[in-house]
Amino acid sequence: MTSYEPSRVPGADPLYDVVVLAGGAARRLGGADKPGVRVGGRALLDRVLAACADAGTTVVVADPRPTARPVTWAREDPPGGGPLAALDAGLRHITARHVLVLSADLPFLQESTARLLVTVLRTGGADGVLLTDADGRDQPLVAAYRTPSLRIELAALTKEHGALTGLPLRRLTAVLDLTRVPGPVASFDCDTWDDIASARARIREHGHVLDEWISAVKDELGIDLDVDTGVLLDLARDAAHGVARPAAPLTTFLVGYAAAQAGGGPEAVAEASRKAAALAVRWAEEADGDSTAAPDGTSGTRPDAG
């Protein structure tokens, strides 16, 4: 799989923009507020927004609501006019030549997948790049497109039908040259309550739960910081083993506090963790040695020795 780190040049065009369609009726959820349904403690919409945090402009087509990060709000006219009308409304607010188009119900979409879609689009010649699900079906709302291609075809459909209201998304994708990338997990969407239950169960599996919890905490606290969680876990283990079990959470808290005082950032966390881990090792070594030994290696005399 192609790995990619986006570069940002001050004054340059944004790498990509995002349009998230979040105004559907959610009929199979009984009309529930699907973007606000929580999976792993986070609203589905916030989970999608976290996957495209490095976009130039993020437009959400829906009625405004609280979100974990700022976005631009748009709405098709009339509301509920369908995906093509919603997409057209969102495109009016973006400027990048490449746009990520997403639904708001993708619990497992990751930043790496968003970057992959944009990278394949930028390096190829197609109009768009979309994921396919576990059954090989196209998922046009987990895709990156060339913005001019979308605008040209939407304008043609508007001219042909008089309006985009009520037109299915396939009217657009059928006339585009598309590249397909398998993505059975990232393309998993939550259309039913059974889907919601499956997503909630999956993130509590052993291989996912810690990353999910850390992501949820960072969203809740408004923290945008990537740190080596392995280092912190090793520190907590050493403190619990070499000192006492309550030392683990207290030590990691103090590491965070020290890192904040040092200006924050992954480097500050790593340095504070290194110092605390070294202290935990020294502490454990003392506990494992002869507690009556004097610093010079001779036998010490206890204050209460007779």
Side-chain angles (χ1 to χ4, degrees):
M1 179 178 293
T2 303
S3 61
Y4 169 70
E5 289 294 331
S7 60
R8 290 304 190 122
V9 179
D13 291 337
L15 179 66
Y16 70 97
D17 289 338
V18 179
V19 174
V20 181
L21 307 188
R27 292 181 179 87
R28 286 197 277 174
L29 288 177
D33 175 28
K34 182 160 66 170
V37 171
R38 295 184 179 274
V39 172
R42 293 188 290 162
L44 284 171
L45 176 57
D46 283 335
R47 297 178 71 91
V48 171
L49 294 178
C52 50
D54 60 350
T57 297
T58 298
V59 181
V60 180
V61 185
D63 293 330
R65 65 174 63 231
T67 52
R69 67 182 184 85
V71 300
T72 298
W73 296 98
R75 201 67 167 113
E76 72 274 25
D77 186 19
L84 289 189
L87 177 58
D88 184 62
L91 291 177
R92 298 176 188 274
H93 296 269
I94 71 168
T95 58
R97 292 185 58 81
H98 304 95
V99 58
L100 202 61
V101 178
L102 305 170
S103 61
D105 60 350
L106 304 167
F108 305 126
L109 184 67
Q110 298 292 325
E111 189 174 13
S112 58
T113 303
R115 291 175 174 179
L116 174 65
L117 288 169
V118 174
T119 301
V120 174
L121 178 66
R122 288 170 62 90
T123 56
D127 296 317
V129 179
L130 52 75
L131 291 189
T132 55
D133 66 14
D135 296 320
R137 293 173 299 195
D138 289 354
Q139 299 299 311
L141 295 184
V142 199
Y145 298 96
R146 298 188 190 278
T147 308
S149 297
L150 292 183
R151 287 182 169 139
I152 290 170
E153 298 304 337
L154 287 172
L157 286 170
T158 301
K159 182 177 181 180
E160 179 183 355
H161 297 278
L164 297 172
T165 301
L167 293 181
L169 195 57
R170 64 178 178 273
R171 290 291 184 90
L172 173 65
T173 56
V175 296
L176 295 174
D177 177 22
L178 300 175
T179 296
R180 290 159 177 85
V181 176
V185 176
S187 65
F188 179 88
D189 56 0
C190 294
D191 289 328
T192 68
W193 287 113
D194 284 344
D195 294 336
I196 297 291
S198 295
R200 287 171 172 170
R202 184 179 189 276
I203 66 169
R204 284 169 171 77
E205 294 173 359
H206 178 71
H208 307 284
V209 65
L210 184 59
D211 287 341
E212 288 288 346
W213 170 249
I214 295 300
S215 296
V217 171
K218 290 195 294 185
D219 269 8
E220 191 71 16
L221 300 179
I223 299 171
D224 184 15
L225 177 66
D226 289 325
V227 297
D228 188 343
T229 55
V231 169
L232 294 176
L233 289 173
D234 288 344
L235 168 61
R237 180 201 62 208
D238 293 342
H241 174 74
V243 184
R245 290 186 66 85
L250 292 173
T251 303
T252 51
F253 165 77
L254 291 172
V255 163
Y257 186 82
Q261 284 195 318
E267 296 82 5
V269 175
E271 177 63 13
S273 299
R274 183 192 64 77
K275 291 180 178 179
L279 174 61
V281 170
R282 296 197 303 270
W283 188 286
E285 287 174 346
E286 290 181 17
D288 292 338
D290 182 0
S291 62
T292 64
D296 61 0
T298 62
S299 179
T301 302
R302 297 187 182 216
D304 60 347

